[in-house]
PDB file of all heavy atoms in Angstrom:
ATOM      1  N   VAL B 762      78.405 124.732 143.828  1.00  0.00           N
ATOM      2  CA  VAL B 762      78.653 124.547 145.260  1.00  0.00           C
ATOM      3  C   VAL B 762      79.136 125.840 145.915  1.00  0.00           C
ATOM      4  O   VAL B 762      78.475 126.388 146.805  1.00  0.00           O
ATOM      5  CB  VAL B 762      79.685 123.411 145.494  1.00  0.00           C
ATOM      6  CG1 VAL B 762      79.939 123.247 146.992  1.00  0.00           C
ATOM      7  CG2 VAL B 762      79.189 122.107 144.887  1.00  0.00           C
ATOM      8  N   VAL B 763      80.268 126.341 145.484  1.00  0.00           N
ATOM      9  CA  VAL B 763      80.860 127.535 146.087  1.00  0.00           C
ATOM     10  C   VAL B 763      80.154 128.778 145.556  1.00  0.00           C
ATOM     11  O   VAL B 763      79.704 128.792 144.410  1.00  0.00           O
ATOM     12  CB  VAL B 763      82.369 127.596 145.743  1.00  0.00           C
ATOM     13  CG1 VAL B 763      83.011 128.852 146.287  1.00  0.00           C
ATOM     14  CG2 VAL B 763      83.059 126.356 146.284  1.00  0.00           C
ATOM     15  N   ARG B 764      80.046 129.833 146.383  1.00  0.00           N
ATOM     16  CA  ARG B 764      79.471 131.083 145.874  1.00  0.00           C
ATOM     17  C   ARG B 764      80.531 131.765 145.018  1.00  0.00           C
ATOM     18  O   ARG B 764      81.339 132.564 145.509  1.00  0.00           O
ATOM     19  CB  ARG B 764      79.014 131.998 147.014  1.00  0.00           C
ATOM     20  CG  ARG B 764      78.317 133.246 146.459  1.00  0.00           C
ATOM     21  CD  ARG B 764      77.734 134.153 147.504  1.00  0.00           C
ATOM     22  NE  ARG B 764      77.265 135.383 146.861  1.00  0.00           N
ATOM     23  CZ  ARG B 764      76.833 136.454 147.490  1.00  0.00           C
ATOM     24  NH1 ARG B 764      76.787 136.478 148.810  1.00  0.00           N
ATOM     25  NH2 ARG B 764      76.443 137.516 146.823  1.00  0.00           N
ATOM     26  N   ASP B 765      80.533 131.427 143.757  1.00  0.00           N
ATOM     27  CA  ASP B 765      81.520 131.942 142.814  1.00  0.00           C
ATOM     28  C   ASP B 765      81.008 131.614 141.411  1.00  0.00           C
ATOM     29  O   ASP B 765      80.016 130.905 141.251  1.00  0.00           O
ATOM     30  CB  ASP B 765      82.873 131.254 143.054  1.00  0.00           C
ATOM     31  CG  ASP B 765      84.035 132.016 142.405  1.00  0.00           C
ATOM     32  OD1 ASP B 765      83.801 133.069 141.784  1.00  0.00           O
ATOM     33  OD2 ASP B 765      85.181 131.541 142.513  1.00  0.00           O
ATOM     34  N   TYR B 766      81.707 132.122 140.419  1.00  0.00           N
ATOM     35  CA  TYR B 766      81.337 131.772 139.054  1.00  0.00           C
ATOM     36  C   TYR B 766      82.056 130.487 138.668  1.00  0.00           C
ATOM     37  O   TYR B 766      82.988 130.045 139.351  1.00  0.00           O
ATOM     38  CB  TYR B 766      81.661 132.931 138.106  1.00  0.00           C
ATOM     39  CG  TYR B 766      80.930 134.157 138.561  1.00  0.00           C
ATOM     40  CD1 TYR B 766      81.575 135.170 139.246  1.00  0.00           C
ATOM     41  CD2 TYR B 766      79.543 134.229 138.418  1.00  0.00           C
ATOM     42  CE1 TYR B 766      80.874 136.247 139.755  1.00  0.00           C
ATOM     43  CE2 TYR B 766      78.832 135.297 138.926  1.00  0.00           C
ATOM     44  CZ  TYR B 766      79.497 136.306 139.590  1.00  0.00           C
ATOM     45  OH  TYR B 766      78.797 137.350 140.115  1.00  0.00           O
ATOM     46  N   ILE B 767      81.612 129.902 137.564  1.00  0.00           N
ATOM     47  CA  ILE B 767      82.273 128.702 137.084  1.00  0.00           C
ATOM     48  C   ILE B 767      83.707 129.038 136.683  1.00  0.00           C
ATOM     49  O   ILE B 767      84.057 130.207 136.520  1.00  0.00           O
ATOM     50  CB  ILE B 767      81.490 128.095 135.897  1.00  0.00           C
ATOM     51  CG1 ILE B 767      81.240 129.165 134.804  1.00  0.00           C
ATOM     52  CG2 ILE B 767      80.168 127.514 136.377  1.00  0.00           C
ATOM     53  CD1 ILE B 767      80.582 128.610 133.554  1.00  0.00           C
ATOM     54  N   ASP B 768      84.541 128.009 136.531  1.00  0.00           N
ATOM     55  CA  ASP B 768      85.939 128.254 136.157  1.00  0.00           C
ATOM     56  C   ASP B 768      86.102 128.155 134.634  1.00  0.00           C
ATOM     57  O   ASP B 768      85.138 127.906 133.898  1.00  0.00           O
ATOM     58  CB  ASP B 768      86.873 127.280 136.890  1.00  0.00           C
ATOM     59  CG  ASP B 768      86.603 125.824 136.534  1.00  0.00           C
ATOM     60  OD1 ASP B 768      85.905 125.563 135.528  1.00  0.00           O
ATOM     61  OD2 ASP B 768      87.088 124.943 137.268  1.00  0.00           O
ATOM     62  N   GLY B 769      87.318 128.358 134.197  1.00  0.00           N
ATOM     63  CA  GLY B 769      87.596 128.401 132.765  1.00  0.00           C
ATOM     64  C   GLY B 769      87.195 127.133 132.031  1.00  0.00           C
ATOM     65  O   GLY B 769      86.675 127.201 130.906  1.00  0.00           O
ATOM     66  N   GLU B 770      87.422 125.998 132.659  1.00  0.00           N
ATOM     67  CA  GLU B 770      87.059 124.738 132.004  1.00  0.00           C
ATOM     68  C   GLU B 770      85.552 124.604 131.851  1.00  0.00           C
ATOM     69  O   GLU B 770      85.044 124.190 130.799  1.00  0.00           O
ATOM     70  CB  GLU B 770      87.600 123.546 132.804  1.00  0.00           C
ATOM     71  CG  GLU B 770      89.067 123.328 132.549  1.00  0.00           C
ATOM     72  CD  GLU B 770      89.607 122.081 133.238  1.00  0.00           C
ATOM     73  OE1 GLU B 770      88.810 121.198 133.609  1.00  0.00           O
ATOM     74  OE2 GLU B 770      90.833 122.022 133.409  1.00  0.00           O
ATOM     75  N   ALA B 771      84.841 124.958 132.915  1.00  0.00           N
ATOM     76  CA  ALA B 771      83.380 124.849 132.855  1.00  0.00           C
ATOM     77  C   ALA B 771      82.807 125.864 131.860  1.00  0.00           C
ATOM     78  O   ALA B 771      81.844 125.577 131.144  1.00  0.00           O
ATOM     79  CB  ALA B 771      82.772 125.072 134.243  1.00  0.00           C
ATOM     80  N   PHE B 772      83.421 127.047 131.800  1.00  0.00           N
ATOM     81  CA  PHE B 772      82.933 128.052 130.848  1.00  0.00           C
ATOM     82  C   PHE B 772      83.169 127.580 129.408  1.00  0.00           C
ATOM     83  O   PHE B 772      82.294 127.711 128.548  1.00  0.00           O
ATOM     84  CB  PHE B 772      83.628 129.396 131.089  1.00  0.00           C
ATOM     85  CG  PHE B 772      83.092 130.523 130.237  1.00  0.00           C
ATOM     86  CD1 PHE B 772      81.863 131.104 130.526  1.00  0.00           C
ATOM     87  CD2 PHE B 772      83.808 130.994 129.144  1.00  0.00           C
ATOM     88  CE1 PHE B 772      81.354 132.141 129.742  1.00  0.00           C
ATOM     89  CE2 PHE B 772      83.312 132.031 128.351  1.00  0.00           C
ATOM     90  CZ  PHE B 772      82.081 132.604 128.657  1.00  0.00           C
ATOM     91  N   ALA B 773      84.352 127.014 129.174  1.00  0.00           N
ATOM     92  CA  ALA B 773      84.655 126.504 127.832  1.00  0.00           C
ATOM     93  C   ALA B 773      83.662 125.403 127.452  1.00  0.00           C
ATOM     94  O   ALA B 773      83.158 125.365 126.319  1.00  0.00           O
ATOM     95  CB  ALA B 773      86.090 125.979 127.777  1.00  0.00           C
TER      96      ALA B 773
END
Side-chain angles (χ1 to χ4, degrees):
Chain B
V762 179
V763 177
R764 184 175 172 188
D765 197 1
Y766 302 103
I767 52 175
D768 62 15
E770 281 185 19
F772 185 75

